[in-house]
Amino acid sequence: MGIDGIVPYTSDVLAPVAAYVAATMGLPGNPCAAVEVMTHKDRFRDFLRSHGFPTPRGKGFRDIGDATAYFRTLGGAAMMKPVDSAGSKGVFKVCREDDIVRHWQETMAYSAEKTVIIEDFIEREGLQQDGDIFVANGRIVFWGVGDQHKDPIAPYVPAMLSFPSTMRPAHTERARELVQQILSALGFRQ
């Protein structure tokens, strides 16, 4: 018996490791560089911007002074997140510079790279969409997207999904098209 494949179970934090092991062992997988982009919020935002995809303004920081200076340029509320974490750990909405100072250490604690992204806060209409997709041979073959419901105590932590989604079909189709374009541009195969 040999190893047929490797996947990170429920976490994008381990996806770069799985991609590296797959590449090293000659197993099916996605390009390591593409996985690195998809698992680092600052790199992903840069990728989206450089390829003309819609994305909030945002930038990664290791220094709190640089982060607060950038926050001032946004002119409104922002989100502060570890660039390389998952599960909404260390994620805060910041409305004032004091908020950045108050939450900086906790956000940094969840980043292995010790980098925080500050990005535009976008007020959503309706429920946020969430779910899973399945990609085979570079194409989306399953699109399981529903409405994300948040934890009432931790407002940025997903608590559950409900199906079917209440998103308008035209918006769902546009989202699927954009995700497919992003996956194709990155070279994702599965």
Side-chain angles (χ1 to χ4, degrees), residues 128-133 142-148 161-167 172 175-176 179:
Q128 182 171 316
Q129 304 305 292
D130 192 354
D132 291 299
I133 64 172
F142 172 78
W143 179 264
V145 177
D147 293 339
Q148 183 186 88
L161 297 179
S162 61
F163 297 90
S165 170
T166 57
M167 184 184 276
T172 298
R176 185 179 175 136
V179 170

Side-chain angles (χ1 to χ4, degrees), residues 78-101:
M79 294 301 291
M80 182 168 77
K81 310 171 185 178
V83 297
D84 54 348
S85 183
S88 300
K89 295 180 294 288
V91 173
F92 296 97
K93 180 180 179 183
V94 293
C95 298
R96 302 181 326 265
E97 292 178 40
D98 292 353
D99 295 335
I100 294 173
V101 173

Side-chain angles (χ1 to χ4, degrees), residues 167-174:
M167 184 184 276
R168 284 185 252 157
H171 290 157
T172 298
E173 187 53 37
R174 180 65 180 138

Side-chain angles (χ1 to χ4, degrees), residues 52-106:
F53 292 106
T55 188
R57 293 175 296 169
K59 194 172 174 187
F61 298 95
R62 293 182 175 192
D63 177 78
I64 192 169
D66 293 339
T68 16
Y70 180 74
F71 169 76
R72 286 191 295 273
T73 70
L74 296 178
M79 294 301 291
M80 182 168 77
K81 310 171 185 178
V83 297
D84 54 348
S85 183
S88 300
K89 295 180 294 288
V91 173
F92 296 97
K93 180 180 179 183
V94 293
C95 298
R96 302 181 326 265
E97 292 178 40
D98 292 353
D99 295 335
I100 294 173
V101 173
R102 184 170 65 248
H103 298 299
W104 184 262
Q105 290 304 321
E106 183 176 353

Side-chain angles (χ1 to χ4, degrees), residues 19-20 22-23 27-35 187-190:
Y20 174 79
L27 299 170
N30 291 303
C32 290
V35 173
F188 262 73
R189 296 183 295 271
Q190 57 259 345

